[in-house]
């Protein structure tokens, strides 16, 4: 992953790469931001799993506006945030965020699709066991798996006062 905090104006708020990797592994969802078909932007919150290297898997229905937008322009951003906490005494917010720039493509290799789908089970419902496998078997035909190839990443944080 090309992790570069160079563009961040507030040097004191840079998220270190180890924290960025933790956020990629643990965050619950991200917002996929793409070009709308008729101009402007379009963003959708999605669950995701990181492949541990330069890819993030997303899943969705096999048709829809998001897929139409990505077919027209596969370059996109994925915005990921960790836990946030309002700091009323400081008129601020404690946060961690990560901005990924990349390209999105459909996963067509069935073995890779299955690995990605099993990764979703492991991350979001690790205790699902056989029931989860049964669900995947029936949902797989209705599910599109996308791969967001990370071209660059940067992160920002404000941890606030330690409690």
């Amino acid at each position: 992953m090309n992790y570069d905090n160079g563009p961040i104006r507030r040097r004191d708020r840079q998220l270190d790469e180890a924290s960025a990797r933790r956020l990629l592994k643990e965050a619950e969802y991200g917002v996929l931001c793409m070009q709308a078909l008729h101009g402007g932007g379009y963003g959708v919150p999605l669950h995701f799993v990181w492949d541990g290297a330069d890819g993030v898997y997303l899943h969705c229905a096999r048709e829809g506006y998001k897929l139409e937008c990505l077919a027209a322009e596969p370059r996109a951003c994925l915005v990921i945030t960790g836990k946030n906490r309002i700091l009323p005494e400081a008129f601020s917010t404690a946060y961690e965020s990560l901005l990924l720039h990349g390209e999105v493509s459909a996963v067509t290799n069935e073995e890779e699709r299955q690995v990605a789908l099993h990764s979703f089970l492991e991350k979001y419902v690790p205790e699902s066991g056989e029931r989860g496998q049964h669900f995947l078997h029936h949902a797989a035909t209705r599910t599109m798996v996308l791969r967001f190839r990370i071209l660059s990443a940067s992160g920002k944080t404000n941890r606030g006062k330690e409690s």
Side-chain angles (χ1 to χ4, degrees), residues 25-132:
K25 185 178 178 185
E26 297 174 2
E28 188 174 325
Y29 71 95
V31 178
L32 182 64
C33 305
M34 62 208 104
Q35 180 69 42
L37 289 177
H38 304 292
Y42 179 62
V44 180
L46 297 168
H47 290 112
F48 71 92
V49 291
W50 179 42
D51 71 3
D54 68 347
V56 172
Y57 291 109
L58 310 164
H59 69 87
C60 60
R62 291 192 167 269
E63 58 184 36
Y65 187 66
K66 168 178 56 271
L67 296 176
E68 293 173 30
C69 291
L70 291 169
E73 175 53 78
R75 293 177 298 175
C77 294
L78 185 62
V79 180
I80 298 168
T81 60
K83 301 223 184 296
N84 298 303
R85 183 171 41 95
I86 302 296
L87 305 171
E89 69 286 350
F91 300 95
S92 189
T93 304
Y95 64 89
E96 290 180 312
S97 64
L98 193 54
L99 177 61
L100 308 177
H101 290 275
E103 294 178 346
V104 182
S105 60
V107 174
T108 56
N109 176 286
E110 189 56 31
E111 185 177 331
E112 183 181 5
R113 254 177 52 76
Q114 289 301 317
V115 167
L117 290 170
H118 284 278
S119 295
F120 277 101
L121 273 184
E122 289 170 17
K123 180 176 180 179
Y124 293 101
V125 282
E127 68 287 342
S128 66
E130 190 175 309
R131 197 169 143 254

Side-chain angles (χ1 to χ4, degrees), residues 59-64 67 110 113-114 117 134-145:
H59 69 87
C60 60
R62 291 192 167 269
E63 58 184 36
L67 296 176
E110 189 56 31
R113 254 177 52 76
Q114 289 301 317
L117 290 170
H134 180 74
F135 174 81
L136 267 190
H137 176 74
H138 292 288
T141 57
R142 301 185 316 265
T143 305
M144 169 75 75
V145 175

